[in-house]
Amino acid sequence: MIETALVFDLEGKTMRFFEPPGRSSGYIPDVQSKGDMGWTEKAANILFYYVQENRDRIGGIAHTHPWDGPATPSGIDIATFRVFDSLIPGRQLLWPVVTFTDVGWYTKNPLTGEYVAVDPKYINLNLVGLDELRRRSR
Amino acid sequence: MPEMNAADILLGEDQARLRITYHPRDGGDAQEGDVEALVPYNAPTDDILRMATEAIMAGIPGIDADPNPDMTDYVVDRFPARDDMPVNRLSVRKKTPFGSR
């Protein structure tokens, strides 16, 4: 089992998966360039720059907690949510946390700044890559 | 913001342009800017973060001055000069892992 991330667009369509080296069943590491890639390659390899360069299209990022049961974000997850929400101001990004049995939808409350669960009946997009995300996490 | 300008042509092999993406402590929108002075490309990470901190304290084009920036979880990416970008680049930004570790 291995954590995997999926960037999706405003309609829920898959933009790309992020499967960096060093992932585990409980962690997706931040990839950093130590001089092994060029400036124009950064978005292809580092999630931060991919989001920055494609911010006009991004609806959110889903990632797996590859086990059965309820899906809730960790403190590390929420810290990362904050970074990306800060990069794309004015848009309510969605942060699905996906287990093999559940999907927890989270977003930033614009009034309090806290991350809150969203009732799925209010989600207006179809996360097309959900099954593939789970498959890549097994 | 332009990726390169005429002055970049004069950069030495050991010099770099430093770009900072800063997230204000109050949770506001991220701000991005290039430090005007050149920095040593091979400087230790801690030194680069220190330079970035000083730049944010003073303010640079694109980033409002913050006298007490919080640089927790900031990392440095190094991008050497190549044909498609013949300028060494350094980037200071927040890291974005997922997980419970």
Side-chain angles (χ1 to χ4, degrees):
Chain A
M1 310 302 172
I2 192 165
E3 283 205 19
T4 305
L6 159 65
V7 185
F8 55 91
D9 71 9
L10 295 166
E11 296 175 343
K13 293 179 188 159
T14 298
M15 293 176 65
R16 66 164 295 174
F17 291 93
F18 261 86
E19 300 167 286
R23 291 179 296 146
S24 70
S25 60
Y27 197 62
I28 303 174
D30 178 78
V31 174
Q32 292 154 33
S33 175
K34 306 297 184 190
D36 51 333
M37 70 181 77
W39 178 255
T40 57
E41 298 171 89
K42 62 188 186 300
N45 295 291
I46 299 176
L47 181 59
F48 180 92
Y49 300 110
Y50 182 81
V51 171
Q52 199 174 43
E53 295 188 12
N54 292 280
R55 67 184 88 189
D56 291 346
R57 297 195 290 142
I58 290 178
I61 303 174
H63 79 284
T64 47
H65 288 181
W67 49 81
D68 295 345
T72 56
S74 67
I76 291 175
D77 294 340
I78 290 175
T80 290
F81 298 170
R82 288 194 189 283
V83 172
F84 287 129
D85 275 316
S86 175
L87 284 180
I88 312 181
R91 184 176 309 153
Q92 196 93 25
L93 294 177
L94 288 170
W95 300 101
V97 180
V98 179
T99 67
F100 293 131
T101 56
D102 294 73
V103 180
W105 294 87
Y106 291 85
T107 196
K108 185 178 178 181
N109 183 314
L111 295 178
T112 67
E114 298 302 311
Y115 283 83
V116 295
V118 182
D119 189 322
K121 70 183 179 187
Y122 299 118
I123 303 298
N124 293 323
L125 57 78
N126 175 31
L127 192 57
V128 172
L130 181 59
D131 289 344
E132 178 64 13
L133 178 63
R134 284 177 166 144
R135 188 191 71 77
R136 292 180 184 228
S137 302
R138 292 191 184 277
Chain B
M1 181 177 300
E3 293 282 25
M4 268 184 73
N5 56 47
D8 287 338
I9 299 171
L10 303 175
L11 289 184
E13 286 184 0
D14 59 348
Q15 295 175 313
R17 285 270 175 229
L18 173 59
R19 175 166 293 176
I20 304 168
T21 307
Y22 179 59
H23 303 260
R25 282 174 293 125
D26 62 1
D29 301 342
Q31 299 177 343
E32 184 180 8
D34 285 355
V35 174
E36 294 183 43
L38 303 174
V39 303
Y41 176 70
N42 292 307
T45 295
D46 285 349
D47 287 358
I48 295 169
L49 290 173
R50 200 168 300 119
M51 293 177 213
T53 301
E54 291 175 1
I56 295 165
M57 291 173 71
I60 61 174
I63 299 180
D64 299 331
D66 182 345
N68 189 24
D70 181 0
M71 302 302 287
T72 304
D73 290 335
Y74 279 79
V75 295
V76 177
D77 291 312
R78 300 174 192 265
F79 303 101
R82 292 192 178 174
D83 289 345
D84 55 350
M85 176 55 71
V87 171
N88 294 325
R89 302 296 300 253
L90 295 166
S91 175
V92 168
R93 50 99 182 166
K94 274 221 170 195
K95 63 181 182 181
T96 57
F98 290 91
S100 55
R101 177 149 56 88

